[in-house]
Amino acid sequence: MAVKTLSVIIPTFNEADNIKKLLDEIDAALQKVPYEIIFVDDSTDSTPELLADIARLDRRVRFEHRENKSGLATAVLRGFELASGDYIAVMDADLQHPPIALRYM
């Protein structure tokens, strides 16, 4: 039986201060679960540079920075297009959705 993978889509807008903690919590929650994280970013702060650095170091992390588009709904839809997992979860970057919930979904 093939191993199922999870795509976690995270729309971001100026969330540089939350990214590291969010990634640490997702990694802790998804131990032994194959996953990818897709950030769809509309930021005007340093978030795109931070995400680029992280994506270079962690092959599970991908991101797309959108220059001329914005909005939660279109970011989520774009994340669906980019996702390659068997299952998809969407969560906020501001930690309002506790990453541990991914383990139980």
Side-chain angles (χ1 to χ4, degrees), residues 7 26-27 34-37 39 41 44 54 65 73 76 92 98-99:
S7 295
I26 290 173
D27 191 52
Y35 70 91
E36 67 176 353
I37 299 172
F39 289 96
D41 179 63
T44 57
I54 292 167
H65 178 69
V76 170
D92 289 345

Side-chain angles (χ1 to χ4, degrees), residues 8 21 61 63 105:
V8 181
K21 180 175 169 98
V61 176
F63 87 102
M105 292 178 151

Side-chain angles (χ1 to χ4, degrees), residues 2-105:
V3 175
K4 303 289 186 179
T5 59
L6 172 64
S7 295
V8 181
I9 299 168
I10 305 173
T12 51
F13 181 76
N14 297 346
E15 294 288 351
D17 292 342
N18 294 326
I19 298 297
K20 175 73 170 110
K21 180 175 169 98
L22 175 64
L23 290 173
D24 288 346
E25 289 189 23
I26 290 173
D27 191 52
L30 295 179
Q31 291 294 311
K32 300 183 182 178
V33 174
Y35 70 91
E36 67 176 353
I37 299 172
I38 301 166
F39 289 96
V40 181
D41 179 63
D42 297 340
S43 296
T44 57
D45 68 352
S46 63
T47 302
E49 293 82 13
L50 176 62
L51 292 174
D53 290 343
I54 292 167
R56 274 192 289 277
L57 298 173
D58 189 340
R59 62 178 178 78
R60 297 171 300 183
V61 176
R62 294 189 289 140
F63 87 102
E64 179 175 291
H65 178 69
R66 304 185 314 162
E67 292 284 337
N68 298 317
K69 294 187 179 183
S70 64
L72 178 62
T74 60
V76 170
L77 291 174
R78 180 64 181 143
F80 288 166
E81 292 172 352
L82 297 170
S84 63
D86 299 298
Y87 302 101
I88 297 175
V90 178
M91 63 186 316
D92 289 345
D94 62 5
L95 295 162
Q96 285 193 12
H97 300 139
I100 192 65
L102 292 168
R103 166 68 69 196
Y104 304 104
M105 292 178 151

